[in-house]
Amino acid sequence: MTDDSTDQDEILSAPLIIEYPFQRTTGPVIGAFLTGLRERVLVGSRAEDGRVIVPPAEFDPVSGNDLTELVEVGPAGEVQTWAWVTAPHDKHPLDHPFAWAQIRPDGADTAMLGAVDAGTIEAMSTGLRVEPVWADERVGHIDDITRWVPVASGEGA
Amino acid sequence: MVDIRLPESLRGVEPVRSVRTPAQLDYEFTAGDATSRFLKGITEKRIIGQRATPTSRVYVPPRGADPELGAATPIEVEVAQTGTVTSFCVVNLAFYGSVMEIPYTSALILLDGADLSVMHLIQEIPADQVRIGMRVEAVWRDDADIEPTLESIKYFRPNGEPDDPNVRIPGEGHGTGLGSWVGGVAPTEAIIRNPRTGEGGEVR
């Protein structure tokens, strides 16, 4: 029989790390978006109704047809909506408070997610103009944008 | 593939064709009482299961409860270090994180005295000779390397006994990975107690 008075200190525990090391092929459209990041260029796709979707969609959201025209947008853009992160965790891109934001790059009709390094929550606002900060070493990955920062007033318009 | 029209800035540069997107989950695994006791048994080179009643199923490794009876499993039972292969898989492809030389065989092994199979390696026999019903025995690490982990058993190897012909789902002619069903009886509502209503359940 087990002893009812089991010493709780005797319970074992150990770190358990599960990793799924996915590597996936991108196809030509997402591949072009990632190539653009490596080249410090933001790329969207032009839908059949003329809207520019960023990150680029492979298929028209209405008709489902292939979208084949990729166009350069931004890279500066405008914050459309945001949420302030007061306590970033290990896997966040920044180790101090920042804003997750939906950012619509200039020339695009949709927004993409980015981390805005605004310093303080007071510096954040809907409509804030921001621009990406590129990593020194870029590999064709979304992390090639390390963060977005407010555009100094008078610039980036 | 469709023809993509690129903006000027991306023409003539080497395109990105693939991307790494690893997902990593960091846990602190707490073994709980039942598994902690099991793992302490391992440090003494003993394999300890648990059961709810003197006649109900023996679970190895124990999880502290009998899911069929909906009852705690306070009775500890040491099981044998020999058992029967109930199912196996020959791994012929290397994969990320694997430290095994291929091909190797992973098997479910029903230890004598247990009613649930443990998963472990089968070695000291070519992979293509492993079979359901084969009798095997545990091979431990050197004493100095014994730790509270099932890896303290290096692998199982054939122990030379004749195959057990009875490892199968009752009523079917082939082996399975399910281990044995007590008394050859499949679990049914009649013998499973509903943990919410407390109805049903036959404590054997």
Side-chain angles (χ1 to χ4, degrees):
Chain A
M1 298 287 282
T2 54
D3 182 353
D4 283 341
S5 62
T6 299
D7 184 349
Q8 291 301 308
D9 294 340
E10 295 291 297
I11 302 299
L12 298 172
S13 70
L16 176 65
I17 298 171
I18 299 173
E19 184 177 323
Y20 302 96
F22 296 126
Q23 175 163 6
R24 39 186 167 179
T25 54
T26 58
V29 174
I30 303 302
F33 176 72
L34 297 172
T35 305
L37 294 178
R38 195 190 63 208
E39 304 298 324
R40 299 165 47 130
V41 169
L42 278 184
V43 167
S45 59
R46 191 179 298 284
E48 289 180 347
D49 61 6
R51 291 187 308 145
V52 173
I53 300 169
V54 62
E58 296 170 294
F59 307 103
D60 188 275
V62 178
S63 71
N65 291 333
D66 290 327
L67 295 182
T68 59
E69 186 188 354
L70 298 180
V71 297
E72 197 172 325
V73 297
E78 186 178 293
V79 170
Q80 293 202 313
T81 182
W82 54 280
W84 190 249
V85 178
T86 53
H89 62 63
D90 288 348
K91 291 184 178 173
H92 278 156
L94 298 170
D95 61 5
H96 51 268
F98 68 97
W100 281 122
Q102 288 286 353
I103 299 158
R104 185 181 58 77
D106 298 340
D109 294 285
T110 67
M112 56 184 284
L113 187 67
V116 177
D117 192 3
T120 65
I121 188 170
E122 287 76 20
M124 282 303 298
S125 62
T126 298
L128 181 70
R129 290 199 51 77
V130 292
E131 62 188 358
V133 176
W134 303 99
D136 291 336
E137 291 184 16
R138 297 176 305 282
V139 295
H141 190 281
I142 192 64
D143 290 344
D144 289 352
I145 296 176
T146 62
R147 60 207 164 107
W148 296 71
V149 292
V151 176
S153 56
E155 295 177 34
Chain B
M1 195 195 296
V2 294
D3 283 330
I4 300 294
R5 190 139 54 93
L6 294 171
E8 188 71 38
S9 53
L10 295 187
R11 289 177 199 163
V13 304
E14 178 65 22
V16 171
R17 293 190 172 84
S18 71
V19 62
R20 287 186 185 279
T21 56
Q24 185 176 314
L25 308 171
D26 296 351
Y27 293 99
E28 180 73 15
F29 173 74
T30 301
D33 183 45
T35 305
S36 290
R37 296 178 75 92
F38 168 77
L39 292 172
K40 280 198 199 76
I42 290 291
T43 64
E44 300 162 1
K45 293 168 69 168
R46 299 163 67 215
I47 304 174
I48 295 172
Q50 290 185 356
R51 69 193 336 171
T53 78
T55 55
S56 65
R57 292 173 205 276
V58 174
Y59 293 95
V60 181
R63 295 287 181 253
D66 182 325
E68 198 178 292
L69 299 176
T73 53
I75 304 173
E76 288 194 340
V77 184
E78 181 171 355
V79 301
Q81 310 210 348
T82 55
T84 304
V85 172
T86 61
S87 184
F88 66 94
C89 172
V90 178
V91 179
N92 286 297
L93 290 172
F95 57 90
Y96 177 90
S98 173
V99 295
M100 297 295 299
E101 221 173 275
I102 55 171
Y104 67 93
T105 307
S106 186
L108 287 171
I109 299 153
L110 185 63
L111 297 169
D112 298 343
D115 293 294
L116 183 67
S117 300
V118 295
M119 191 188 290
H120 221 298
L121 302 167
I122 303 289
Q123 305 223 317
E124 296 191 25
I125 179 173
D128 62 1
Q129 292 178 28
V130 177
R131 57 206 179 270
I132 289 170
M134 192 173 76
R135 297 282 296 157
V136 294
E137 65 186 6
V139 178
W140 295 83
R141 288 178 180 169
D142 293 338
D143 284 356
D145 299 328
I146 297 285
E147 293 174 340
T149 163
L150 200 49
E151 290 173 20
S152 289
I153 297 176
K154 287 197 291 184
Y155 51 81
F156 285 77
R157 68 180 173 205
N159 72 346
E161 292 177 15
D163 286 7
D164 180 347
N166 297 313
V167 179
R168 66 173 77 97
I169 286 186
E172 295 192 19
H174 56 82
T176 80
L178 296 179
S180 69
W181 292 356
V182 168
V185 178
T188 68
E189 289 183 6
I191 62 170
I192 299 174
R193 183 158 64 91
N194 184 315
R196 278 184 299 108
T197 65
E199 290 172 358
E202 166 190 283
V203 177
R204 291 179 299 268

